[in-house]
Amino acid sequence: MTAELDRLDRTDGRPVYVVGGGPAGLATAAALRARGVRVVVLEKSGDVAASWRGHYDRLRLHTTRRLSALPGLPMPRRFGRWVARDDVVRYLEKYVEHHSLDVVTGVEVSRIEPAPGPEAGAGAGAGAGAGSGDWLLRASGGRELTGRAVVVATGYNHTPKVPDWAGREEYTGELTHASAYRNPRPYASRDVLVVGVGNTGAEIAADLAEGGAARVRLAVRTPPYILRRSTAGWPAQRTGILVRRLPVGLVDRAGNVVSRVSVPDLSEYGLPRPSHGLYSRAREGAIPVQDVGLVDAVRKGKVEPVAAVDSFEGGEVVLADGSRIAPDAVIAATGYERGLEALVGHLGVLDARGLPVVRGAGRAVRAGAGAGVRTGARARARARGAAKVPGLHFVGFTNPISGMLREIARDAPRVARALS
């Protein structure tokens, strides 16, 4: 690691730095390199694809192999249609080798800011648009790296999020986030409560039921849209691609029909059909649950849907309907935060959810709009002359129904065109 950091200190010129060695960072680096742009990928862990290495064992992509490949390298046919976690890791390792990417591991970037110009002095560069036009990256070990542009690709699922439930700190039972779950072996013959019915929670609940847990309950706040991953050989992802630009109301109505035809009604088991629209919720960030075992597990009584978690008291979990349960273990599949505030929050480029105001598509981020600004207000802020922040881009911060990897594969070349 020290040798790699020293190599950074001796770089000539002003490379483009890509922060993050996951699919988004590697795809962007490959696209830039293909255009002759010198690019260095900075990865805080010891390997690329760190987040993929940490996912649970049974995970497979919910998007097809063909529509999940990154630019310049197809996924091998031997991976099958639904690619396993370990094969994704192998693919990303091969991707680095295939494109001869310059990846430096063990370097964590803590803050990105405009580099001060020669006349600005040591204290300049705090505000967007000030300084030399270059970017200063403050990294581990006190390193300060200067590049002509920065692409932030630290990942949509960056920081595990556990709700601040009342009594959580005093809870005497076992409480872990889903990011720590690997397989059902530690939960054999135990009573487990999974909190959250997104794709992760649904799959972990099914995995536990199949893997020997004595009892599996699934705490549900909002009933999800459940879709088959594939119907008669047609993957749900391709439908997501076709409908993505159609009117929201139209897609909601069509989604209701598809859901009712392809997925049985689970109301009698405690998991009613959702009242909200599929695409309406997807645009808010709630991606439909693709069934890989949950429906059968619920129908067979192996997974029991229960009310949402309200609080903790001693060794008990208090549910929203007033009932109390005492599971041996609680797994919180309650999502992630983007973790961008410390890195770029001072630049005014994040919205209320901590997502970049503008991301991907080769568009420069604009500062001045402020965090939490909605689309219309953002446009008005730009019209008032909000300053551009050229050379700062974000890739991998969308989670569309058409597939995150496919979106990355489309955005990376656009960013590369803008920076070249």
Side-chain angles (χ1 to χ4, degrees):
M1 177 177 131
T2 302
E4 289 182 325
L5 285 171
D6 289 342
R7 175 163 57 86
L8 278 178
D9 290 340
R10 294 196 301 271
T11 56
D12 298 322
R14 295 147 46 242
V16 172
Y17 284 108
V18 174
V19 184
L26 300 181
T28 305
L32 284 164
R33 198 174 190 286
R35 289 180 166 268
V37 177
R38 181 158 179 267
V39 55
V40 178
V41 178
L42 304 176
E43 167 56 45
K44 69 176 183 179
S45 71
D47 297 287
V48 297
S51 63
W52 280 95
R53 296 173 193 274
H55 286 317
Y56 46 93
D57 295 348
R58 73 173 271 164
L59 178 66
R60 287 181 176 270
L61 292 179
H62 291 171
T63 54
T64 66
R65 181 191 74 252
R66 288 186 177 182
L67 295 176
S68 300
L70 302 180
L73 183 66
M75 286 188 172
R77 289 177 60 87
R78 68 177 183 277
F79 285 177
R81 194 179 199 191
W82 312 107
V83 182
R85 177 203 64 185
D86 289 348
D87 285 333
V88 173
V89 173
R90 293 186 186 98
Y91 171 74
L92 294 176
E93 291 174 338
K94 181 65 177 178
Y95 196 81
V96 173
E97 177 186 343
H98 179 78
H99 290 288
S100 301
L101 301 182
D102 190 358
V103 179
V104 181
T105 59
V107 178
E108 182 173 8
V109 178
S110 58
R111 184 179 173 91
I112 298 171
E113 57 193 47
E119 73 288 347
S132 65
D134 289 347
W135 287 90
L136 177 67
L137 289 76
R138 301 189 184 276
S140 52
R143 259 62 178 192
E144 295 184 352
L145 310 172
T146 303
R148 71 176 182 87
V150 180
V151 179
V152 179
T154 49
Y156 191 85
N157 295 331
H158 184 272
T159 306
K161 178 176 64 177
V162 178
D164 189 20
W165 290 300
R168 189 190 77 182
E169 298 300 326
E170 292 75 35
Y171 179 55
T172 58
E174 178 184 328
L175 171 62
T176 58
H177 189 268
S179 58
Y181 179 85
R182 295 294 176 268
N183 57 63
R185 286 194 294 273
Y187 301 94
S189 303
R190 300 178 71 190
D191 183 339
V192 187
L193 172 67
V194 179
V195 184
V197 69
N199 277 292
T200 297
E203 191 156 352
I204 288 177
D207 197 32
L208 288 165
E210 296 169 8
R215 186 176 189 180
V216 181
R217 284 173 283 202
L218 181 61
V220 180
R221 182 174 301 279
T222 304
Y225 255 99
I226 302 176
L227 299 175
R228 297 293 188 188
R229 186 168 61 179
S230 178
T231 303
W234 179 263
Q237 181 190 10
R238 287 199 177 275
T239 301
I241 294 171
L242 292 175
V243 305
R244 192 175 175 196
R245 300 193 183 280
L246 295 178
V248 174
L250 176 62
V251 180
D252 281 348
R253 291 191 293 274
N256 287 338
V257 173
V258 172
S259 178
R260 290 179 182 276
V261 170
S262 62
V263 178
D265 187 357
L266 301 176
S267 298
E268 64 177 292
Y269 303 99
L271 195 60
R273 293 190 186 278
S275 57
H276 51 270
L278 182 154
Y279 200 23
S280 298
R281 290 283 291 144
R283 286 168 66 90
E284 296 171 1
I287 298 302
V289 172
Q290 296 202 24
D291 178 41
V292 288
L294 178 66
V295 170
D296 284 345
V298 169
R299 296 179 76 184
K300 293 176 181 178
K302 294 182 177 181
V303 173
E304 308 167 44
V306 297
V309 171
D310 180 73
S311 60
F312 291 82
E313 288 187 15
E316 292 186 320
V317 181
V318 182
L319 303 180
D321 61 4
S323 60
R324 293 168 177 262
I325 59 177
D328 298 320
V330 178
I331 300 174
T334 46
Y336 295 79
E337 295 175 342
R338 313 294 83 84
L340 293 172
E341 286 79 6
L343 193 66
V344 295
H346 53 285
L347 298 174
V349 296
L350 303 179
D351 65 16
R353 297 175 297 167
L355 286 166
V357 172
V358 179
R359 48 198 181 269
R363 295 166 293 176
V365 174
R366 295 172 182 264
V373 180
R374 296 182 182 273
T375 303
R378 191 188 314 145
R380 290 193 294 273
R382 290 175 179 174
R384 290 195 299 268
K388 279 189 178 182
V389 185
L392 177 62
H393 294 261
F394 297 83
V395 177
F397 292 96
T398 58
N399 192 20
I401 60 175
S402 52
M404 181 182 290
L405 290 174
R406 178 179 180 272
E407 190 75 7
I408 287 170
R410 290 163 61 85
D411 275 346
R414 295 168 182 166
V415 170
R417 282 197 297 270
L419 291 179
S420 63

